[in-house]
Amino acid sequence: MDLVDLVAVATAFLTPPIAFLAALWARRSGRQSADATVVSGASQAHGSVTAARVQTRGGIELRQQAALADTSAAFLQASDALARTVEQLPSLAPEERPAQLAAHGMAVETTLGPLELLAPPELLRHAKALREYCRTLEKLALDRAVLRSAVQALEAGWCPLNAEICDNDHHGAAFVAWQLLVEWRDREDEERWADRGLLEYCLQESQCMTESEIAGVLAVVDRVPGAWSRMIGGLVRDPLMERFATLRAPFVEAARSTQPPVPPAEPDGLRTWTSDTVSVAAPSAVSRSSLSA
């Protein structure tokens, strides 16, 4: 057998193993390619699920922030409305005061409920402090209205010219009644007992109030509430409303701190806002005297 025949025989024996190995390699390569495709698809799917979860979580957080902003604003508006009502009660007819006060007091309690479910501890602490003071305002509001309306009426009944040389009995009675009312809580029990008749006479002689209004003043006078000086206040100061403003400010600050920060300005000068609805109501129109320190 010559060399040519040997090569032919060797080729015949080697061809099947080579073909088998080639097929095996092709099959392995196909599996690796398929596995890589599966892994790539799984990675993409996992990434899509993760992105969806992040987006969903972000959407939930935005909705929670918006809900918290709305409930904070509602509670603040209700508290401000109660404070304004307390300030305005002295100018209302006595029979109208209880209904006005009750409606606004209930609104404060109602709006606190949703806030308790959403507010973080710091904000909730300030909200409850403000709510408790609103309860105090509501408790003192009617007596405050009686005393302050009486003081205002008596001040209007002073002599419009020179009080030192005025000999008008009505003007003098108005001033004496005013002085007694302002100092009533600071007097000793014996002094109040001795001056009770004088106060009633001066209120009547001043002709500044009706009989029913005088009766209302005397009813408060006989009880001598402990918060007398805070209810009457002074010519400039109003301690009750100043305290409300003091408690209101940290609540507003805490509510604002729960909202997302304002993003930086875009190159064109515009800002991209996360949500236009996420905001806290600005301080409402409580009178200047209420907000003074």
Tab-separated table of all heavy atoms in Angstrom, residues 41-63:
chain	number	residue	atom	x	y	z
A	41	GLY	N	-32.091	38.920	28.443
A	41	GLY	CA	-33.521	39.210	28.575
A	41	GLY	C	-33.957	39.304	30.024
A	41	GLY	O	-34.743	40.172	30.406
A	42	ALA	N	-33.420	38.373	30.852
A	42	ALA	CA	-33.758	38.408	32.277
A	42	ALA	C	-33.266	39.687	32.931
A	42	ALA	O	-33.945	40.287	33.765
A	42	ALA	CB	-33.159	37.185	32.971
A	43	SER	N	-32.043	40.116	32.564
A	43	SER	CA	-31.488	41.354	33.117
A	43	SER	C	-32.340	42.549	32.723
A	43	SER	O	-32.625	43.433	33.541
A	43	SER	CB	-30.049	41.543	32.640
A	43	SER	OG	-29.226	40.488	33.092
A	44	GLN	N	-32.754	42.564	31.444
A	44	GLN	CA	-33.595	43.669	30.990
A	44	GLN	C	-34.936	43.656	31.725
A	44	GLN	O	-35.447	44.714	32.122
A	44	GLN	CB	-33.805	43.570	29.483
A	44	GLN	CG	-32.547	43.850	28.668
A	44	GLN	CD	-32.801	43.710	27.173
A	44	GLN	OE1	-33.876	43.305	26.756
A	44	GLN	NE2	-31.784	44.039	26.387
A	45	ALA	N	-35.496	42.457	31.895
A	45	ALA	CA	-36.777	42.361	32.597
A	45	ALA	C	-36.642	42.817	34.044
A	45	ALA	O	-37.478	43.542	34.577
A	45	ALA	CB	-37.296	40.922	32.537
A	46	HIS	N	-35.547	42.351	34.703
A	46	HIS	CA	-35.314	42.759	36.091
A	46	HIS	C	-35.132	44.267	36.190
A	46	HIS	O	-35.663	44.910	37.104
A	46	HIS	CB	-34.081	42.042	36.635
A	46	HIS	CG	-33.765	42.411	38.052
A	46	HIS	ND1	-34.521	42.008	39.125
A	46	HIS	CD2	-32.748	43.178	38.562
A	46	HIS	CE1	-34.007	42.500	40.237
A	46	HIS	NE2	-32.933	43.195	39.928
A	47	GLY	N	-34.386	44.821	35.230
A	47	GLY	CA	-34.199	46.272	35.224
A	47	GLY	C	-35.511	47.000	35.023
A	47	GLY	O	-35.762	48.032	35.661
A	48	SER	N	-36.367	46.467	34.152
A	48	SER	CA	-37.662	47.102	33.914
A	48	SER	C	-38.542	47.039	35.165
A	48	SER	O	-39.212	48.017	35.523
A	48	SER	CB	-38.373	46.416	32.739
A	48	SER	OG	-37.621	46.550	31.551
A	49	VAL	N	-38.509	45.862	35.838
A	49	VAL	CA	-39.295	45.726	37.067
A	49	VAL	C	-38.787	46.681	38.137
A	49	VAL	O	-39.556	47.337	38.838
A	49	VAL	CB	-39.246	44.266	37.569
A	49	VAL	CG1	-39.864	44.154	38.965
A	49	VAL	CG2	-39.974	43.346	36.595
A	50	THR	N	-37.441	46.757	38.282
A	50	THR	CA	-36.859	47.670	39.274
A	50	THR	C	-37.221	49.116	38.974
A	50	THR	O	-37.601	49.879	39.876
A	50	THR	CB	-35.326	47.519	39.297
A	50	THR	OG1	-34.987	46.167	39.608
A	50	THR	CG2	-34.711	48.453	40.330
A	51	ALA	N	-37.113	49.497	37.696
A	51	ALA	CA	-37.459	50.864	37.308
A	51	ALA	C	-38.926	51.144	37.580
A	51	ALA	O	-39.304	52.237	38.042
A	51	ALA	CB	-37.131	51.081	35.830
A	52	ALA	N	-39.779	50.143	37.295
A	52	ALA	CA	-41.210	50.328	37.547
A	52	ALA	C	-41.490	50.492	39.030
A	52	ALA	O	-42.308	51.319	39.445
A	52	ALA	CB	-41.992	49.139	36.989
A	53	ARG	N	-40.770	49.675	39.858
A	53	ARG	CA	-40.954	49.797	41.304
A	53	ARG	C	-40.504	51.158	41.805
A	53	ARG	O	-41.161	51.783	42.634
A	53	ARG	CB	-40.184	48.690	42.023
A	53	ARG	CG	-40.804	47.308	41.857
A	53	ARG	CD	-39.943	46.246	42.512
A	53	ARG	NE	-40.557	44.919	42.422
A	53	ARG	CZ	-39.959	43.803	42.783
A	53	ARG	NH1	-38.698	43.848	43.267
A	53	ARG	NH2	-40.569	42.638	42.677
A	54	VAL	N	-39.359	51.625	41.318
A	54	VAL	CA	-38.850	52.940	41.719
A	54	VAL	C	-39.833	54.029	41.309
A	54	VAL	O	-40.129	54.958	42.071
A	54	VAL	CB	-37.456	53.195	41.108
A	54	VAL	CG1	-37.028	54.639	41.341
A	54	VAL	CG2	-36.433	52.242	41.716
A	55	GLN	N	-40.335	53.912	40.073
A	55	GLN	CA	-41.273	54.920	39.588
A	55	GLN	C	-42.557	54.895	40.402
A	55	GLN	O	-43.118	55.935	40.758
A	55	GLN	CB	-41.582	54.673	38.112
A	55	GLN	CG	-42.454	55.746	37.470
A	55	GLN	CD	-42.630	55.507	35.978
A	55	GLN	OE1	-42.219	54.478	35.460
A	55	GLN	NE2	-43.243	56.460	35.305
A	56	THR	N	-43.019	53.659	40.721
A	56	THR	CA	-44.238	53.538	41.525
A	56	THR	C	-44.029	54.120	42.916
A	56	THR	O	-44.880	54.841	43.442
A	56	THR	CB	-44.649	52.061	41.630
A	56	THR	OG1	-44.877	51.547	40.315
A	56	THR	CG2	-45.916	51.918	42.462
A	57	ARG	N	-42.847	53.783	43.513
A	57	ARG	CA	-42.551	54.314	44.839
A	57	ARG	C	-42.478	55.836	44.817
A	57	ARG	O	-42.974	56.508	45.716
A	57	ARG	CB	-41.223	53.726	45.343
A	57	ARG	CG	-40.947	54.020	46.805
A	57	ARG	CD	-39.614	53.441	47.242
A	57	ARG	NE	-39.541	52.011	46.986
A	57	ARG	CZ	-38.717	51.450	46.110
A	57	ARG	NH1	-37.884	52.210	45.405
A	57	ARG	NH2	-38.696	50.151	45.950
A	58	GLY	N	-41.851	56.370	43.761
A	58	GLY	CA	-41.775	57.819	43.648
A	58	GLY	C	-43.152	58.448	43.491
A	58	GLY	O	-43.446	59.494	44.074
A	59	GLY	N	-44.022	57.786	42.711
A	59	GLY	CA	-45.380	58.307	42.551
A	59	GLY	C	-46.157	58.285	43.849
A	59	GLY	O	-46.901	59.215	44.157
A	60	ILE	N	-45.977	57.195	44.624
A	60	ILE	CA	-46.660	57.100	45.914
A	60	ILE	C	-46.172	58.192	46.859
A	60	ILE	O	-46.970	58.833	47.560
A	60	ILE	CB	-46.425	55.702	46.531
A	60	ILE	CG1	-47.141	54.632	45.700
A	60	ILE	CG2	-46.915	55.667	47.981
A	60	ILE	CD1	-46.852	53.227	46.145
A	61	GLU	N	-44.859	58.419	46.887
A	61	GLU	CA	-44.309	59.460	47.756
A	61	GLU	C	-44.837	60.834	47.374
A	61	GLU	O	-45.155	61.655	48.236
A	61	GLU	CB	-42.787	59.431	47.690
A	61	GLU	CG	-42.168	58.196	48.359
A	61	GLU	CD	-40.664	58.155	48.194
A	61	GLU	OE1	-40.130	59.031	47.473
A	61	GLU	OE2	-40.020	57.262	48.776
A	62	LEU	N	-44.932	61.093	46.068
A	62	LEU	CA	-45.460	62.385	45.626
A	62	LEU	C	-46.916	62.548	46.042
A	62	LEU	O	-47.325	63.629	46.487
A	62	LEU	CB	-45.334	62.513	44.105
A	62	LEU	CG	-43.937	62.818	43.560
A	62	LEU	CD1	-43.969	62.864	42.043
A	62	LEU	CD2	-43.425	64.135	44.117
A	63	ARG	N	-47.684	61.478	45.915
A	63	ARG	CA	-49.088	61.567	46.316
A	63	ARG	C	-49.206	61.765	47.821
A	63	ARG	O	-50.072	62.514	48.292
A	63	ARG	CB	-49.839	60.308	45.877
A	63	ARG	CG	-50.096	60.237	44.376
A	63	ARG	CD	-51.106	59.160	44.031
A	63	ARG	NE	-50.607	57.828	44.299
A	63	ARG	CZ	-49.909	57.106	43.434
A	63	ARG	NH1	-49.633	57.598	42.232
A	63	ARG	NH2	-49.504	55.887	43.749
